[in-house]
Amino acid sequence: MIYSPAAQDHGLPHDPFKAIVTPRPIGWITAMSAKGEINLSPYSYFNAVSTRPHIVMFSSEGKKDAVAFIEETGEFTCSMVTKSLVGAMNLTSAPLPRGTSEYGHAGLEMAPSHFVKPPRVAGSPAALECKLLSVQQLVDLDGVSVERWMVLGQVVGIFMDDAFIRNGRFDTAAAHPVARCGYADYAEVDHLFSIERPPGG
């Protein structure tokens, strides 16, 4: 099968795009407004895009509170979603009334950040503290601006729970991070294998 995403002529009950671009890390973003309002929301269009400097990005379908708050204050955090936190993460995706705390709704506690003002999720084993680089509205092939917003942030601080630092490394498998796999499907990372990069020439 081959189909046109513009025409959506695949004949399937659901768009398979997100199930093909998988697994995707979940950016559990905490943002703070200029008034001190806190927003916590998960984004499955999220990833690291650079080292030296460390840069991450997430994309929002619609200009949601997180994007608006980050534009106001220039800071955000990203907490790792783990198997034990996936239920709470899902609760923070609910479209709550403006002013309702996602932290409270999901029964989560905040932990203070070190380099930025927005807090992180207290129960998460790792979190990134970020400063805003840019917010870009996406444009399609026809040059039309679409209601999609990409946020790029430079990581200025990294929190790791010491319990997950083993043999000089962050033990990813022990943390059991969760990835998005399309539709209502998720994957738990609990097993890793290593492949050495081949030499050149």
Side-chain angles (χ1 to χ4, degrees):
M1 173 193 292
I2 186 166
Y3 74 95
S4 161
Q8 285 291 295
D9 54 355
H10 46 67
L12 302 173
H14 302 285
D15 185 349
F17 171 71
K18 293 180 182 180
I20 293 170
V21 184
T22 183
R24 300 189 308 281
I26 301 169
W28 209 5
I29 307 297
T30 302
M32 178 185 290
S33 74
K35 296 178 181 178
E37 302 164 294
I38 301 293
N39 177 268
L40 173 63
S41 46
Y43 291 88
S44 66
Y45 290 134
F46 167 82
N47 220 318
V49 296
S50 171
T51 56
R52 300 187 185 90
H54 296 342
I55 296 174
V56 295
M57 65 74 62
F58 74 92
S59 180
S60 176
E61 298 193 319
K63 196 168 189 180
K64 299 176 182 176
D65 285 350
V67 178
F69 288 2
I70 292 167
E71 282 188 318
E72 288 180 13
T73 60
E75 298 180 338
F76 63 95
T77 65
C78 176
S79 299
M80 178 181 281
V81 178
T82 62
K83 182 67 180 297
S84 64
L85 291 169
V86 73
M89 177 278 296
N90 191 43
L91 288 173
T92 64
S93 71
L96 303 177
R98 184 71 180 267
T100 302
S101 168
E102 290 86 6
Y103 274 93
H105 178 72
L108 293 165
E109 294 185 6
M110 302 179 195
S113 296
H114 186 81
F115 297 98
V116 299
K117 290 182 180 178
R120 58 180 171 82
V121 175
S124 177
L128 309 176
E129 301 181 12
C130 306
K131 296 272 192 178
L132 176 64
L133 292 173
S134 67
V135 175
Q136 302 173 31
Q137 185 173 10
L138 302 185
V139 177
D140 68 13
L141 285 172
D142 297 319
V144 177
S145 296
V146 296
E147 286 296 309
R148 304 291 185 266
W149 304 85
M150 182 174 67
V151 177
L152 288 165
Q154 183 167 328
V155 180
V156 296
I158 298 177
F159 164 79
M160 294 181 291
D161 185 331
D162 290 342
F164 294 92
I165 302 174
R166 300 172 185 174
N167 300 317
R169 302 172 65 174
F170 180 80
D171 193 337
T172 305
H176 297 278
V178 169
R180 188 73 186 274
C181 293
Y183 312 115
D185 299 332
Y186 293 81
E188 174 190 359
V189 177
D190 59 359
H191 175 74
L192 301 178
F193 62 91
S194 298
I195 299 176
E196 296 296 328
R197 181 178 294 183

